[in-house]
């Protein structure tokens, strides 16, 4: 039975990855921080099948101890301060966790067991102010937020340890990936949750920022398979994981409201660009996943329309049961 350790197991990606690995017959461990409020909502249905280990990306000793205890064959580093907007308010914490935290984990592998295969969750936010379209593994990074800057650091730390210490360290440069498990602070889930509540008469409108902003949105459940596939390769490398399509917030609203039978949704949506404006914006992201498809046969299974409908349907069911 293979052993895998997931940091960020209580998050969207961590919970889907844990399910995926359990189906593959893995013994799954999750690294969790000690906090005053515990949120295991996303993993409560599998909590009896996984083992949680205490540790923190801010604490080198705890990471060494966790690896020593678990002795995993694979380590998936998904933990981060992952909300871009928050990174402007907490730039130093974002750097400590999302950037330096990666180095601490790589150091733990180098110290405890250099044979552990490492996956780093890199991000399309590293491309930021894009210099090439679509974006691929060789596209220049131009991050536009403290989060994007921190992810670039973590990405290059992974490359550096791979080349300096011969570690099996791969990075997945994942474009936006969503699901019903996405936090309510993210625009996609904010929309799906609001649409469900508006259709049930529980909410009158939703306030959003720039409706013309475009992203390459995929389904998180599809993307965790790509993470696993990267670590099954003979040699470590970096891969863009995306859909190759771009859609605007307007497009998301069209599909979401359409699912509940509302075509003229503008009366339910207020756009307040100034309120949600960031010091520097990322306006257009679209990824080229050709390398991943060619190398290990990955391609997205879920269409944009299917993704939006999955999210609205889940929020509808949840709201009806409240």
């Amino acid at each position: 039975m293979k052993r895998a350790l997931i940091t960020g197991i209580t998050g969207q990606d961590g919970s889907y990855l844990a399910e995926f690995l359990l189906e593959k017959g893995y013994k799954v461990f999750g690294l969790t921080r000690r906090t005053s409020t515990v949120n295991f909502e996303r993993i409560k249905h599998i909590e009896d099948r996984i083992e949680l280990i205490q540790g923190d990306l801010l604490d080198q000793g705890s990471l060494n101890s966790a690896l020593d205890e678990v002795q995993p064959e694979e380590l998936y580093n998904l933990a981060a301060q992952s909300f871009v907007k928050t990174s402007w308010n907490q730039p130093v914490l974002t750097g400590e966790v999302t950037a330096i935290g990666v180095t601490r984990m790589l150091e733990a592998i180098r110290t405890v067991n250099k044979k552990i295969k490492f996956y780093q969750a890199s991000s399309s936010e590293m491309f930021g102010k894009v210099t090439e379209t679509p974006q691929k593994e060789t596209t220049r990074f131009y991050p536009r937020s403290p989060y994007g800057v921190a992810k670039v650091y973590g990405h290059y730390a992974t490359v550096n340890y791979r080349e300096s210490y011969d570690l099996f360290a791969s990075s997945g440069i994942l474009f936006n990936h969503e699901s019903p498990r996405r936090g309510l602070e993210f625009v996609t889930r904010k929309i799906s949750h609001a649409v469900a509540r508006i259709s049930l008469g529980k909410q009158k409108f939703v306030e959003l920022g720039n409706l013309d902003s475009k992203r390459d949105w995929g389904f998180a459940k599809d993307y965790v398979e790509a993470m696993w596939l990267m670590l099954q390769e003979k040699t470590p490398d970096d891969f863009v994981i995306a859909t190759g399509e771009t859609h605007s917030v307007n497009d998301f609203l069209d599909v979401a409201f359409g699912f509940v039978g509302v075509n003229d949704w503008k009366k339910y949506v207020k756009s307040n660009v100034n309120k949600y404006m960031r010091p520097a914006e990322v306006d257009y992201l679209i990824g080229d996943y050709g390398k991943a498809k060619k190398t290990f046969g990955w391609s997205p299974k879920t269409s944009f329309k299917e993704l939006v409908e999955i999210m609205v349907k889940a929020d509808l069911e949840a709201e009806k049961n409240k």
Side-chain angles (χ1 to χ4, degrees), residues 152-168:
V152 170
Y153 180 106
H155 179 82
Y156 276 127
T158 303
V159 173
N160 187 246
Y161 272 69
R162 178 168 76 214
E163 294 177 351
S164 302
Y165 301 114
D166 198 29
L167 298 187
F168 192 110

Side-chain angles (χ1 to χ4, degrees), residues 67 72-75 109 112-118 168:
L67 294 196
E73 280 94 350
E74 298 172 5
L75 195 163
I109 291 174
V112 176
N113 181 0
K114 288 176 66 175
K115 292 183 179 179
I116 296 171
K117 291 186 173 183
F118 177 76
F168 192 110

Side-chain angles (χ1 to χ4, degrees), residues 22-42:
L22 287 170
E23 288 171 10
K24 291 284 182 186
Y26 280 65
K27 172 67 176 172
V28 177
F29 298 82
L31 191 77
T32 59
R33 284 182 302 130
R34 170 73 178 88
T35 57
S36 55
T37 54
V38 179
N39 182 10
F40 290 164
E41 184 67 25
R42 296 181 181 95

Side-chain angles (χ1 to χ4, degrees), residues 244-286:
E245 297 180 9
T246 189
H247 296 275
S248 67
V249 176
N250 276 308
D251 296 335
F252 204 101
L253 287 162
D254 279 338
V255 178
F257 274 103
F259 185 73
V260 296
V262 176
N263 295 320
D264 183 19
W265 50 260
K266 289 183 172 59
K267 58 186 174 184
Y268 300 110
V269 177
K270 293 183 180 180
S271 178
N272 188 339
V273 176
N274 291 332
K275 180 178 178 180
Y276 296 100
M277 182 73 75
R278 297 166 185 167
E281 283 286 354
V282 175
D283 294 316
Y284 188 81
L285 291 172
I286 178 168

Side-chain angles (χ1 to χ4, degrees), residues 99 155 185 214 221 269 288:
H155 179 82
E185 69 272 25
K214 292 184 174 182
K221 194 172 182 179
V269 177
D288 177 357

Side-chain angles (χ1 to χ4, degrees), residues 85 184-195 198 203-211 249 253 257 265-277:
K85 188 173 185 293
L184 286 169
E185 69 272 25
F186 290 86
V187 66
T188 52
R189 182 74 199 294
K190 187 176 181 181
I191 292 170
S192 67
H193 184 247
V195 167
I198 289 167
Q203 189 171 322
K204 292 185 177 179
F205 68 91
V206 60
E207 187 179 75
L208 304 169
N210 181 9
L211 304 186
V249 176
L253 287 162
F257 274 103
W265 50 260
K266 289 183 172 59
K267 58 186 174 184
Y268 300 110
V269 177
K270 293 183 180 180
S271 178
N272 188 339
V273 176
N274 291 332
K275 180 178 178 180
Y276 296 100
M277 182 73 75

